[in-house]
Amino acid sequence: MTTRLFGEGIARREDPRLLRGEGRYLDDLGSDALEVAFVRSPHAHARITDIDVADALDVDGLVALYVHEDLPARLREPLPLLIPHPALTQPRTACCLADAVVRHVGEPVAMVVATDRYVAEDAAERIDVTYEPLEPVVGLDAAARGAARVHDDVPGNVAAALVQEVGDVDAALAQAPHTLDLALEIERSASTPLEARGVYARWDADDGTLRVYSSTQTPTSVRFAVAAKLGLPAEKVECVAPDVGGGFGVKIMHPWAEEILVPWAARLLGRPVKWTEDRVEHFVAATHERAQTHDITVGFDDDGRILGLDVRFRHDNGAYVPYGLIVPIITATQLPGPYKLGAYRVAFESLYSTTCPVTPYRGAGRPQACFAMERTVDAIAARLERDRAAVRAANLIAPDEMPYDIGLVFQDGRPAIYDSGDFPATLAKVRELIGWDDFPRLKAEAAAEGRRLGIGLACYVEGTGVGPYEGGHVHVETSGRVNVYTGLSSQGQGHATVFAQIVATELGVPLDDVHVTTGDTRRFPYAVGTFASRAAVMSGSAIALAARKVRAKALRIAAEALEANPDDLEISEGIVRVKGSPGDAIPLKAVAVLSNPLRYAFDESARAATQFALPASEDRPPIADDDEPGLEGRDYYSPLRSTFANGMHAAVVETDPDTAEVRILRYAVVHDCGPLINPRIVEGQIHGGVAQGIAGALYERMAYDEAGQLTNASFMDFLMPYATEIPAIAIDHLETPSPLNPLGIKGAGEAGVIPVSAALAAAIEDAEGIPIHRMPLSPDELHALRARAGGEAS
Ligand code: MCN
């Protein structure tokens, strides 16, 4: 079913301003502010034995400097854990400034405040920290060996261990006609947004309020965390996210030390203070994700139907677990994808290492899950010598089995129940789009010319729109302008366009009249934030509900003014009309005037509205009990559980027989996020996601050496694809609506990235005839795999 709710071809309204260079990013603010530089650990693991600041104190322009002991008690405690979990038995979080031991390169040790950044950096350089190096713990093998401990009191470096089982896996494997084992690995990568993190705070002593600007995905969390840590009522802290140049997960506050320390210093010093993260800092002091190893045993029948799947995996959570277990829990629960697994057991260990902490990066555990599952399905097909798409088809959940309970507990603590989707139809579409059935001919023709072509396919299901809630406020001004507020913030997703579309559609007003403000706690103080592909589902639904309230109120007032029944009215182009009698009409802006019993005749529209003076009612006061003045409404959306989007990607690659370079010749995406509010925006999100996925599959990685030094911590050394490496992407959609929210929406923001490594690994494997069990894959690694395969063959 195709439901075009909101119209085609609407361009992103936020772009012209940004393209003209009129964006206001964090570092464009606070030209009068003092600036901060941090002294950060150069060691992966060391004990701090002395900090000598004497030399720094001589620097002209130094305003203040702080080490751990200088902070008030609340700031000396370890930072809070964002999401506790009963399996997280050894949670360890960092302090704002390191207390005695540093556990990754980049950990903040001292904070310097000065008249500008140059002075702050000069002073920071003159702080002499003496370290006693401790043994670094780098990579999952070292972490699991547990010979050296990241935290003295955490044996084996195990932060958490969790097992979920559906059915009897041991029995299923014992009875399966075939079994196979696989070991699969995904390396570390990171969000690396174009704009790094940053925070700028101003203290207003007269009012006792703190204004915090932050390049954040979660302004309300910043507000509450800063208030709690500074001992202020939340009402005295305002947080505004200005234009944000990308986040991709890393700008979720959990909380970040810098986001606490800068406001604290601003209040203490009574002066505006700002910190803008530089690129090297971002590499070593922000967070990473992905690194996991997976051991899999699968049992299956002659048709490739999976009878039992046993997955054991290790998750590298880095030095601390500020975010809890969300990433490995998502891997564990999203691994089954669109398949009906006879029995499934997943067990993971989350391990500390002396590297950057791990928090969600676009996809959050799902790229690893998809890689593990899809490589397994390909291995089954290879063992049975069957078509890979046919093996997938044999395992898919059928549309009439929806809602389908996979029997696991999802990241939100609720049951993981697929609510909608038509997986066989998605498979049929992607086969068509990539040319699956015709590919053997293409491959044979290429082979005749000495060229190596391969095709791959990967499927995923993605829990999106996690709760607990989001709110929306819609206000029709007497000018006719419609203001829309929601508390989460935007980092490039196009919310100002999409939320305006929702309100224009629901309220019947011109799109250009609708203005959206996100990420400003002064406008909307309660919210959760932008992550987990949740804005369209959560804020979109809340805004739609708020707009419906306003519409109902407008119809009620207009009905009185027009002496009609509300059911006989319609609103379009901002005018309320009696159906079938277009002459009987009242503009919505006049309704806004009438919504206030005290009608100010200060402006034109107010005077114009007086012709519609409401009939005086003897049995109703000017403001009835269930009413309030103003044509505005607020509502919240809080779902019982997440809604599950899904999709399939396919790729055709060519590998160079000499250089082992991988070229992507075709890339196809079929995606189902329910009705598309803005098809262009969704396709843009998919393009961006696929590009990020290709980056993670073939180029980007965090190259730690054994000492725990990140050897590629700059854009000179961190290999990124350019537009020239990203192929044209063919996209098709299914729009099966979710029954869980008023718009039938499912999330779209992360989808593009999830299956790329799996699809490309499958295509490379097909081209080369060599099993690919680890991503990313560089040409020299492929070369080495060829050499090894050649050696084994000879
Ligand atoms: N949308 C739509 N129709 C649908 C579903 C979504 O038109 N049926 C639109 C939404 O209205 C929104 C966009 O598609 O404008 C993405 O929607 P959604 O899936 O709700 O994702 P969020 O808006 O919550 O964005 C978060 C998501 C995540 S988790 C990461 S990480 C990510 C991403 O979005 N980070 C991004 N996309 C990003 N895009 C940019 N430019 N920058 C980032 O940092």
Side-chain angles (χ1 to χ4, degrees), residues 246-249 362 491-495 498-499 530-537 673-678 681-682 685 745-750:
F248 306 108
R362 197 179 200 174
Q491 304 86 52
Q493 294 89 347
H495 297 149
V498 171
F499 296 156
T530 302
F531 53 88
S533 301
R534 64 190 295 284
V537 174
C673 58
L676 304 175
I677 308 169
N678 186 314
I681 285 182
V682 171
Q685 285 288 310
I745 303 293
K746 301 177 271 192
E750 292 165 282

